[in-house]
Amino acid sequence: MPRRRTTSSSSSTAPSAPRNRTPQPVRVRRRSFGDFVKAFLAFLVLLVLVVGVPLALATQIGWPLPDGAPSLDWLQREITVQTFLHILTVIVWFAWAQFTACVLVEVKAALSGVGVPGRVPGSGPSQLLARQLVAALLLVGATAASLTPGLSQLGQSLEGNQKPSVAAAQQTPGIFAQQQEQAAATANALAEQAGQAGQAAARADGGSSAAHGDTKYYRIQPPEGRHHDSLWEVAERHLGDGRRYKEIFELNKDRVQPDGSRLSEASLIRPGWIMEMPGDARGGELVEMPDEAPNVSEQVQQQISDYAKSGDHAQGSGGGDAQVSLPEQRPAPTPANPVTPATPVPGTGGEHAAPAVGQDGRSFGLPEALLTAPLLAAGLLGALGRRRRQAMWQSALGAVGGRRGMEPPTPTGDAQDAQDALLVGADPEGVRLLDRSLRGLAASLAAESRPLPVVYAAWMSGNGDLHLQLAQPAGKPPTPWQQGQDQTFWMLARADAERYEDAETAAPYPGLVSLGTMDDSRLLLNLEAVPGIVSLGGTEADRAAVFASVAAELATNGWSDRMTITLVGFGDDLTPLAPNRIRHLDGFEDLFETMSAETRQRRGALGAAGHDSVLTGRTGPAQHTRWAPHLVLLAAQPSDDDALRLAELAADAGRLGIGYLVGTQGTDLPGAAWEMEITGEGRLLAPLLGLELDAQMLPAAQRRAVVELFTDADPGSDPEGGPGRPANAPPFLVDISEQGRPAVYARLVGSYEIIGLDAPDGERSALLHEALALLLLHREGVHPRVLSSALWPRGVTADVRDALLERLRTWLGTDPDGTPRLATDATGRLTLAKSVVSDLDVLRSLYYEATQGRGVDSRQVRGRLLTDALVLVRGPLLADRPEGRYRWLTHEIVDAQLPLLVADTGLALSEFHLERDRAEKAIEALNAALRTAPADERLWHELLRATHTTGDPDRLRSLAADLVDRSGARGVPPRTEALLDELLPTWREGVSAAG
């Protein structure tokens, strides 16, 4: 089982108030006269109720039930007063039996001291009365009563004190709280050791009792609500500094507890265990062990003495680092090609081996923050591709005469490094599997009419398995999910996840967001399910880096349907990442006004729909309308008054699907359910949750570079942009004259062919062809890591990558002047010589020359260039590429660029012919373009106009019918419908007749 080690400082700070519970003093005291009076009265009441009631019933009324089996005649008898008395007697007997059971349960719990008393069904007031009577009686009968959970909370709410420890632990929302085990067989031994004040063996070293000569012990408390006791909490309450938990761990490490188990991990402690405390421990819940303790049996004294001696062997042990157990994982299969430390492993949860990092936070020339964030990188890369495609189509629809550019700006500097890091680090397969797995789980539960369980976190392990940590047990998971290491873990193997298909259901957990990694596993925390506020401490710059990573991933992730991210006090530059998802507020007053209204609206909507939470709402009819999550990221620490208002606002946030992540400089924030801290070394700490992660961050420099990529892709970001703006020049222009014949010519549009090179050997031919295609599509240069991650998505060793590059150089050869055709530029990127070109390069160059070069001043040259360009189009890009290869094309926008380029070429050539009234030539050019760009509405419009100029209404009517048929159920687009009304007013009659 993978584990991680924790390092903590042992420095002491000023004591702070307990955060999660108020300690109740538990001390051994002498009995008073009042105690004896209470005990005597309690004894009398118990004697009357337990013994007197059944004796009175037996002697005065007798047994009320019939002696034999009833017959039909018994049902026909007359109902008399005696019958009612018998019924009442049966009720009294049942009440007596229930009360007696309550007494027995309370007595057992009081004497054993393990956990809290079990609950007798339907016995609310009766069990509370029994508890008070037993407590009063045992208060003078045994000093152990002072440490009994049921007695130490005498008179408190029955519901809060009668959950067994295991059940209460299962309701705890702590991410890594270990499930507690009941040890009924050893309950008495545990209680005696915890509760008796006996003689303890003196320590040889003065660390445990040097201050006062007394050895202090603490009993691990049972769970209360959503809190588990932890060594951090114990140290914080009684030593003034939670980081001193290591001292407690060292004092008790490997010492045998009465149930036979040992303390081996700081996070694995059980209710009822005894922890020896350092001598300066203070506060309630501590038990001092003086040399002479009254009323302690020899057996108990011997147990305590044995425990004290059991620690001697551990005093000199080195270790002592706290450990946290992750979800149990199966061994990852050994890859065919070992992964180089510089190469990511997409598709395995996005876990990357730690790359070599320089002082500037870069790895092999690329930003480490993006290289090691596979889910974030995949989301950003997908959103960037969609933004660029949208920009191209907006430009196309707003163009005049087809004169506008289809080439997005080529990033440079930090933006180019950021784009390369996204290409290398992205794990789109991991995102796809996560999305399908979660939606598939929701669909399976809905099919079984089961509600969605509350999920606090998800782990993506190194071998690709997905683990969900539930807030509490939710029964057996649906197939193919399996139960993990305990009832609060559901696990889905990668092989099972790959068999999932797309499910038509709402995203069940859209608030999951990556926080970091621990031992080759990536943690995603469900921020919308936190029962309150999540606070984040640390320096302002480190907090901003974590906040930016969270906001960017939530805004672009692939496992959410809709999302609203509100940024307060920071992040106004992040809006370009997702303008429809991200909004920025200036201060707390704006936040309080906005979120108060939304909180009221969601509460009302849930009540009106009859749902208890957004989870149940997402599986109902309104799943796509009301239950999208809303995450609030508040970077600036609120004032004390604002913090209290925010805590009140967030009290019901988990149920409503609203999450709050608040930055703080201190440690105490009202309403903070979970507290985290980001260190200067990039570690994310949450001791009470058992978390210590390598944090996922987006520092300021990388954030600006990523935002630059999005703003450059947005056509509206250029104040001088517009239909009349000159088109962007292609990144590479070819000499299209006779003297510019290339040495190596590759046909990419259509079937992949290479002219000018000998065919490589069969084994390596596919890789060499794919590498050359990638380089041809990126004339600006390709980073070696981008090339290797594209060819080997699951990783490759450096020697294999370098060997391929050397073969590629050898295959491409050199120009006549000795210049290698594959070179490396000043930034370390691989570039091709100008003598190596593709038909796509020629197509771009021909169109550019025809519309912005020599063709602008010469009609004859323009017609010839456009005709030559359209002849080059032989089909889609890389039409015959092998299945399973060229997956990197999903990150490209060339699949959208090529149809637009072909459509623009066809439109320009059609315009050229229509200027001379050559309608048939125009129609021929448009049909040729439609074979590559059949969905381009502009081509159909020009084809309708060109056909209309022929003066043949039947031909126009046939074309209209064909267009209507192609439109299908969506119907004819509005612009096309308006054009048909103008050119062929009777076109609807033909459609009706055909229908």
Side-chain angles (χ1 to χ4, degrees):
M1 181 184 298
R3 305 181 186 278
R4 63 101 170 137
R5 294 193 175 274
T6 305
T7 57
S8 295
S9 170
S10 60
S11 61
S12 179
T13 60
S16 59
R19 183 171 296 113
N20 293 326
R21 68 176 85 225
T22 302
Q24 300 293 330
V26 182
R27 298 187 180 276
V28 179
R29 63 183 182 86
R30 297 186 178 279
R31 294 162 291 180
S32 64
F33 178 76
D35 294 335
F36 284 102
V37 173
K38 292 179 182 178
F40 179 72
L41 294 176
F43 174 76
L44 289 180
V45 173
L46 285 173
L47 186 65
V48 170
L49 294 178
V50 176
V51 180
V53 169
L55 288 177
L57 291 174
T59 57
Q60 301 300 321
I61 300 179
W63 188 248
L65 299 179
D67 298 332
S71 62
L72 294 178
D73 296 338
W74 182 81
L75 297 176
Q76 298 175 356
R77 294 179 183 177
E78 181 181 359
I79 297 177
T80 63
V81 174
Q82 192 66 23
T83 303
F84 282 107
L85 290 176
H86 284 172
I87 294 175
L88 182 60
T89 303
V90 171
I91 295 175
V92 174
W93 272 108
F94 275 117
W96 169 83
Q98 184 187 59
F99 178 78
T100 303
C102 293
V103 172
L104 295 177
V105 168
E106 295 296 328
V107 170
K108 179 180 181 299
L111 294 177
S112 67
V114 177
V116 288
R119 182 178 180 182
V120 178
S123 62
S126 299
Q127 190 162 2
L128 180 58
L129 175 62
R131 172 175 298 180
Q132 293 173 338
L133 294 174
V134 172
L137 179 62
L138 295 185
L139 189 62
V140 298
T143 58
S146 63
L147 277 180
T148 302
L151 305 182
S152 63
Q153 302 175 19
L154 179 64
Q156 297 184 16
S157 169
L158 181 66
E159 294 294 331
N161 294 320
Q162 288 194 331
K163 295 178 182 178
S165 59
V166 172
Q170 291 171 343
Q171 296 175 5
T172 301
I175 297 181
F176 297 105
Q178 301 296 322
Q179 298 301 312
Q180 307 300 330
E181 301 175 358
Q182 284 183 321
T186 59
N188 292 330
L190 280 169
E192 288 177 351
Q193 185 166 8
Q196 300 298 337
Q199 181 178 4
R203 285 281 180 185
D205 61 318
S208 62
S209 57
H212 304 285
D214 294 334
T215 303
K216 298 181 178 68
Y217 289 86
Y218 174 82
R219 184 179 65 89
I220 301 300
Q221 298 296 309
E224 292 183 8
R226 58 182 178 83
H227 291 293
H228 280 272
D229 218 347
S230 69
L231 292 187
W232 179 282
E233 273 190 294
V234 174
E236 191 171 57
R237 288 199 301 270
H238 302 298
L239 300 177
D241 188 351
R243 290 173 292 184
R244 294 184 63 188
Y245 76 93
K246 292 179 64 177
E247 299 177 32
I248 306 175
F249 177 73
E250 286 294 335
L251 287 174
N252 298 275
K253 179 183 177 183
D254 294 329
R255 297 170 66 175
V256 179
Q257 297 288 339
D259 63 352
S261 57
R262 298 172 183 266
L263 175 65
S264 59
E265 301 181 6
S267 61
L268 298 181
I269 56 176
R270 299 177 181 175
W273 278 10
I274 304 303
M275 297 290 111
E276 182 178 345
M277 301 291 290
D280 61 340
R282 295 289 184 274
E285 298 180 334
L286 294 179
V287 177
E288 295 185 1
M289 295 295 184
D291 294 336
E292 295 183 1
N295 301 321
V296 176
S297 66
E298 293 183 1
Q299 179 183 3
V300 174
Q301 291 184 18
Q302 186 63 42
Q303 288 179 348
I304 297 175
S305 177
D306 292 343
Y307 183 77
K309 293 177 181 179
S310 69
D312 293 343
H313 73 281
Q315 295 305 308
S317 60
D321 289 339
Q323 297 176 336
V324 172
S325 297
L326 298 179
E328 292 181 353
Q329 303 175 18
R330 299 170 301 173
T334 303
N337 294 319
V339 179
T340 178
T343 303
V345 190
T348 62
E351 302 313 317
H352 299 63
V357 183
Q359 293 181 353
D360 60 352
R362 291 170 175 265
S363 171
F364 294 89
L366 301 179
E368 183 202 9
L370 298 174
L371 288 175
T372 57
L375 304 184
L376 169 62
L380 289 172
L381 198 60
L384 181 60
R386 292 189 295 271
R387 182 69 55 81
R388 287 173 172 171
R389 287 181 174 88
Q390 181 183 15
M392 286 192 302
W393 280 108
Q394 288 177 351
S395 180
L397 294 176
V400 176
R403 304 299 203 279
R404 88 237 166 281
M406 295 154 298
E407 301 296 335
T410 301
T412 58
D414 290 342
Q416 187 178 20
D417 290 342
Q419 178 173 278
D420 286 342
L422 293 178
L423 290 168
V424 174
D427 181 16
E429 180 67 11
V431 172
R432 184 183 67 86
L433 291 179
L434 176 63
D435 181 46
R436 286 188 173 184
S437 300
L438 295 178
R439 293 180 193 268
L441 173 64
S444 299
L445 291 172
E448 299 176 8
S449 299
R450 295 172 58 185
L452 287 168
V454 177
V455 170
Y456 282 114
W459 285 97
M460 296 186 72
S461 65
N463 57 16
D465 295 343
L466 176 62
H467 300 258
L468 297 182
Q469 176 123 19
L470 314 183
Q472 59 188 20
K476 182 180 179 181
T479 306
W481 290 77
Q482 307 170 26
Q483 184 170 298
Q485 62 200 57
D486 56 48
Q487 295 182 2
T488 60
F489 275 100
W490 284 3
M491 190 272 290
L492 180 67
R494 178 183 176 87
D496 294 328
E498 290 175 341
R499 290 193 288 268
Y500 262 123
E501 300 293 339
D502 292 331
E504 291 296 331
T505 186
Y509 305 111
L512 287 170
V513 65
S514 304
L515 288 187
T517 58
M518 179 194 297
D519 287 352
D520 200 34
S521 291
R522 180 165 301 276
L523 169 69
L524 290 89
L525 187 68
N526 191 7
L527 289 178
E528 69 163 338
V530 178
I533 298 172
V534 179
S535 68
L536 178 66
T539 65
E540 184 177 356
D542 291 334
R543 295 200 313 264
V546 174
F547 279 13
S549 172
V550 169
E553 184 170 299
L554 290 173
T556 61
N557 70 36
W559 55 88
S560 300
D561 294 321
R562 294 188 301 122
M563 173 79 64
T564 300
I565 304 105
T566 297
L567 310 180
V568 185
F570 89 108
D572 52 340
D573 60 331
L574 292 174
T575 305
L577 300 183
N580 295 329
R581 286 192 175 190
I582 297 179
R583 65 181 177 183
H584 180 265
L585 300 178
D586 293 330
F588 183 81
E589 288 302 326
D590 293 340
L591 171 67
F592 188 77
E593 180 181 356
T594 301
M595 297 311 301
S596 295
E598 180 165 344
T599 300
R600 290 192 299 269
Q601 186 273 333
R602 290 201 175 208
R603 283 174 179 163
L606 281 175
H611 298 303
D612 58 349
S613 71
V614 295
L615 284 180
T616 55
R618 283 184 186 142
T619 59
Q623 56 180 314
H624 292 288
T625 57
R626 296 179 178 175
W627 317 126
H630 187 163
L631 282 304
V632 177
L633 305 181
L634 180 60
Q637 180 172 354
S639 64
D640 293 342
D641 292 339
D642 290 343
L644 292 175
R645 295 170 67 190
L646 185 63
E648 182 180 356
L649 188 63
D652 201 22
R655 187 177 69 92
L656 303 177
I658 303 175
Y660 292 87
L661 180 58
V662 181
T664 176
Q665 297 177 355
T667 57
D668 294 323
L669 183 68
W674 295 344
E675 296 180 347
M676 299 186 294
E677 178 185 1
I678 180 66
T679 69
E681 294 76 27
R683 302 286 290 174
L684 188 67
L685 308 178
L688 296 183
L689 302 177
L691 282 177
E692 184 171 340
L693 307 171
D694 291 321
Q696 179 172 298
M697 306 169 69
L698 190 60
Q702 281 77 57
R703 181 170 71 248
R704 288 192 297 267
V706 168
V707 172
E708 182 181 344
L709 290 173
F710 279 80
T711 53
D712 288 347
D714 189 353
S717 63
D718 185 359
E720 299 180 358
R725 181 171 61 90
N728 294 325
F732 179 70
L733 291 175
V734 177
D735 184 359
I736 56 177
S737 65
E738 289 294 332
Q739 292 76 23
R741 186 177 298 274
V744 178
Y745 182 67
R747 292 178 175 173
L748 303 179
V749 183
S751 299
Y752 191 3
E753 301 176 12
I754 298 178
I755 302 172
L757 291 177
D758 295 331
D761 61 73
E763 294 181 358
R764 301 183 180 92
S765 176
L767 277 175
L768 291 174
H769 278 74
E770 186 173 357
L772 179 58
L774 179 61
L775 291 168
L776 286 168
L777 292 176
H778 291 276
R779 303 305 303 231
E780 72 277 9
V782 177
H783 196 286
R785 292 201 63 190
V786 175
L787 180 65
S788 63
S789 64
L791 299 180
W792 294 283
R794 293 186 177 274
V796 67
T797 56
D799 57 338
V800 174
R801 179 192 63 202
D802 295 341
L804 175 79
L805 293 179
E806 187 59 34
R807 292 189 189 96
L808 186 59
R809 287 190 178 95
T810 302
W811 181 44
L812 292 175
T814 60
D815 287 334
D817 61 357
T819 303
R821 292 169 180 159
L822 179 62
T824 303
D825 65 9
T827 65
R829 289 175 171 80
L830 302 169
T831 59
L832 291 173
K834 292 184 177 181
S835 60
V836 182
V837 302
S838 70
D839 54 354
L840 186 57
D841 296 327
V842 176
L843 178 60
R844 286 169 171 158
S845 300
L846 289 170
Y847 177 78
Y848 182 79
E849 280 294 323
T851 58
Q852 299 185 59
R854 293 176 296 157
V856 174
D857 299 324
S858 174
R859 185 179 185 281
Q860 182 179 2
V861 171
R862 182 168 73 253
R864 177 173 57 83
L865 293 176
L866 291 173
T867 301
D868 291 344
L870 207 54
V871 170
L872 290 176
V873 181
R874 302 177 299 121
L877 187 74
L878 297 169
D880 58 350
R881 59 180 179 266
E883 184 178 358
R885 302 211 65 89
Y886 297 86
R887 292 183 177 178
W888 46 269
L889 281 173
T890 58
H891 301 317
E892 306 285 342
I893 62 171
V894 67
D895 60 333
Q897 287 177 297
L898 179 59
L900 279 175
L901 178 58
V902 172
D904 281 347
T905 303
L907 290 170
L909 187 55
S910 171
E911 180 185 6
F912 171 81
H913 289 303
L914 288 176
E915 288 175 355
R916 290 291 188 265
D917 295 328
R918 294 197 291 262
E920 295 297 335
K921 287 290 186 179
I923 292 173
E924 181 181 348
L926 292 169
N927 282 325
L930 279 169
R931 285 193 288 269
T932 300
D936 197 310
E937 189 179 1
R938 299 169 303 151
L939 290 174
W940 288 101
H941 291 176
E942 291 303 313
L943 185 58
L944 287 170
R945 293 189 180 98
T947 305
H948 181 262
T949 61
T950 63
D952 187 347
D954 293 335
R955 187 175 180 181
L956 181 60
R957 191 175 294 107
S958 176
L959 177 61
D962 185 27
L963 181 57
V964 171
D965 186 58
R966 285 174 177 268
S967 300
R970 295 177 301 174
V972 178
R975 293 185 181 182
T976 305
E977 184 176 356
L979 181 60
L980 285 172
D981 287 338
E982 177 187 349
L983 301 179
L984 188 65
T986 61
W987 69 276
R988 287 185 175 82
E989 298 176 2
V991 173
S992 302

